[in-house]
Amino acid sequence: MRLLFTSTSGMGHFNPLVPLIEAAVARGDDVLLVGPPKLKPVLAARDQAYRIGAAPAEAEAAQFRDLLARASPEEAEGMVDREFFGRLCTAAMLPSLEEACDGWRPDLVLHETCEYSAVVAAARRGIPHAQVAISLAQVEASALAHTVPALEAYGGRIGGQIKASGYLTRFPPSVDPSPYPATRRFRETGPADAGGPPSAPLPDWWEGSNAPLVYVTFGTMAGGTAVGDAAFRAVLDAVSGLPVRVLLTAGRATDIQALGDVPANVHVEAWVPQADVLAAATAVVCHGGSGTTFGTLAAGLPLVIVPMFADQPANARLVESAGAGLAVEPTGEPKGRVGVPAPGDAPRIRRSLESVLADDSYRRAAQGLAAEMSALPTARDLLGALQSELVLAAQRENPRRFRL
């Protein structure tokens, strides 16, 4: 097939596409990636062809940020989905997606759930399209409901077309009931499953210690922010003196020196491949972003989640209700819609981590979810099934061609 993949700029948005991109390459499909300017370093580092679209004009983006900063919590609900992703990003990216659809002529367009210009461009040309989930299905459905009013400028049927299109997700059905009728699930796989190298062992940063390894990450967005610094400080204080090894990935935007005193049992890196860490870890402390949360569960590891914004509180509640970890709500003064960890949260994080490490029921629950996820079809199998559906649709549309 000729597969066009498109994403907005956040790594949490692009990463869910990666298993499908790698599976497409392994199948021998032709692949084209399209993204906004901030995604260019990521796309350029890959081996696939790519094109860079436009970002919202800075004046419009600044106006949006100002409105969001002054909005009440009730007003801010859905504003990012509707105004930023639905209105600004769609208008900015649409010319590039239309050009790609006209010039490259994909058989199928796969887009992450916040990249709506792909739907507009594909639907106008009768090209099949499917969305790839970032978050839980109920979270995605709520975001779409917020966004539909902004998309009506492109035709009143766009919202319905998105709901009826394929909905592809890595999340297991027992914790992710989906309102999308065409939901298709696939499993989280490692690089080796797509023909790449297996996970690499971690360097011995702890001088021969074999204590349990705790992985700490707050994703790619927190680094270099006041909220991220507060979260890192709370966790560093929480793990100080515990009989564990700790790997903290602070993000490339973080000044590691600004973290202050780092306990002797903690090693800090800007970034380490998640698959490499999870292969060696015993537990994870994180923000509850979907990529980290479900990657950890796919590895059968329990979590302590300190949720701060977006879908993180929903993921934290899910993990806690499934018995696969504990949530620690931050108690600092919120910054707009973002929860901020306070120094007083460190003892709570410590107690939660000690509980997760001592009580094997959390690991067993995580392993149960991992088994459920591992039983799902691979990304490669899913692409094969989608290709078969496209062929059948083409046969129904033009049976004479296939008889010949």
Side-chain angles (χ1 to χ4, degrees):
M1 289 191 290
R2 294 172 69 81
L3 295 174
L4 191 158
F5 293 86
T6 180
S7 173
T8 55
S9 59
M11 288 305 297
H13 292 242
F14 178 72
N15 281 338
L17 297 174
V18 170
L20 293 162
I21 294 170
E22 292 178 346
V25 171
R27 277 168 36 96
D29 294 322
D30 292 330
V31 171
L32 177 65
L33 312 178
V34 182
K38 285 186 177 180
L39 205 58
K40 183 175 181 178
V42 176
L43 302 186
R46 301 188 61 85
D47 293 330
Q48 293 79 48
Y50 69 92
R51 299 183 186 182
I52 300 301
E58 180 52 36
E60 289 185 308
Q63 183 181 36
F64 165 76
R65 291 192 295 268
D66 181 62
L67 288 172
L68 186 64
R70 292 187 285 107
S72 68
E74 293 76 18
E75 292 170 331
E77 181 71 25
M79 187 179 290
V80 173
D81 298 314
R82 183 181 64 253
E83 296 300 320
F84 184 69
F85 291 120
R87 185 170 66 84
L88 297 180
C89 292
T90 300
M93 283 288 290
L94 184 57
S96 296
L97 264 297
E98 293 197 307
E99 181 181 342
C101 286
D102 288 336
W104 198 70
R105 300 177 64 84
D107 297 310
L108 176 65
V109 175
L110 296 176
H111 65 99
E112 51 92 353
T113 46
C114 289
E115 209 300 284
Y116 299 105
S117 65
V119 181
V120 177
R124 285 175 174 175
R125 290 155 179 80
I127 299 172
H129 54 88
Q131 54 185 326
V132 180
I134 302 168
S135 303
L136 297 169
Q138 296 290 351
V139 174
E140 300 287 19
S142 175
L144 178 60
H146 290 141
T147 308
V148 163
L151 299 177
E152 289 177 347
Y154 303 101
R157 296 176 57 205
I158 291 293
Q161 289 170 329
I162 295 173
K163 292 176 185 175
S165 68
Y167 177 82
L168 315 182
T169 179
R170 304 159 292 156
F171 306 149
S174 67
V175 295
D176 182 38
S178 175
Y180 293 94
T183 296
R184 306 291 293 269
R185 300 181 192 270
F186 63 98
R187 73 171 180 253
E188 190 87 14
T189 56
D193 295 285
S199 300
L202 297 177
D204 183 12
W205 287 310
W206 299 273
E207 299 180 348
S209 171
N210 61 357
L213 174 62
V214 174
Y215 176 41
V216 177
T217 176
F218 285 90
T220 58
M221 302 297 289
T225 68
V227 173
D229 290 346
F232 292 138
R233 189 68 259 161
V235 174
L236 287 171
D237 291 343
V239 301
S240 179
L242 285 179
V244 296
R245 296 172 294 153
V246 178
L247 174 60
L248 185 154
T249 54
R252 294 187 174 96
T254 299
D255 177 1
I256 293 177
Q257 300 300 318
L259 294 176
D261 293 335
V262 175
N265 61 333
V266 177
H267 179 79
V268 179
E269 289 284 322
W271 179 82
V272 175
Q274 179 170 284
D276 294 353
V277 188
L278 296 181
T282 302
V284 173
V285 178
C286 69
H287 56 321
S290 289
T292 303
T293 300
F294 286 92
T296 300
L297 292 174
L301 301 177
L303 301 103
V304 173
I305 297 180
V306 186
M308 294 182 285
F309 64 95
D311 58 354
Q312 297 165 15
N315 290 337
R317 290 191 296 271
L318 178 151
V319 166
E320 201 164 54
S321 64
L326 294 171
V328 180
E329 294 288 339
T331 61
E333 183 68 28
K335 291 186 178 295
R337 300 179 307 132
V338 179
V340 180
D345 294 330
R348 298 167 58 227
I349 297 170
R350 185 186 185 98
R351 288 193 298 271
S352 295
L353 179 57
E354 288 175 325
S355 295
V356 161
L357 292 172
D359 186 345
D360 199 49
S361 67
Y362 296 106
R363 173 177 288 275
R364 290 197 301 271
Q367 289 174 337
L369 290 172
E372 182 184 359
M373 296 168 81
S374 69
L376 297 173
T378 66
R380 184 167 182 162
D381 291 339
L382 177 56
L383 290 179
L386 292 175
Q387 183 176 21
S388 297
E389 291 173 8
L390 291 177
V391 171
L392 288 173
Q395 287 175 331
R396 288 193 295 269
E397 183 175 330
N398 191 353
R400 184 171 181 274
R401 172 188 170 193
F402 283 87
R403 282 200 301 270
L404 296 175

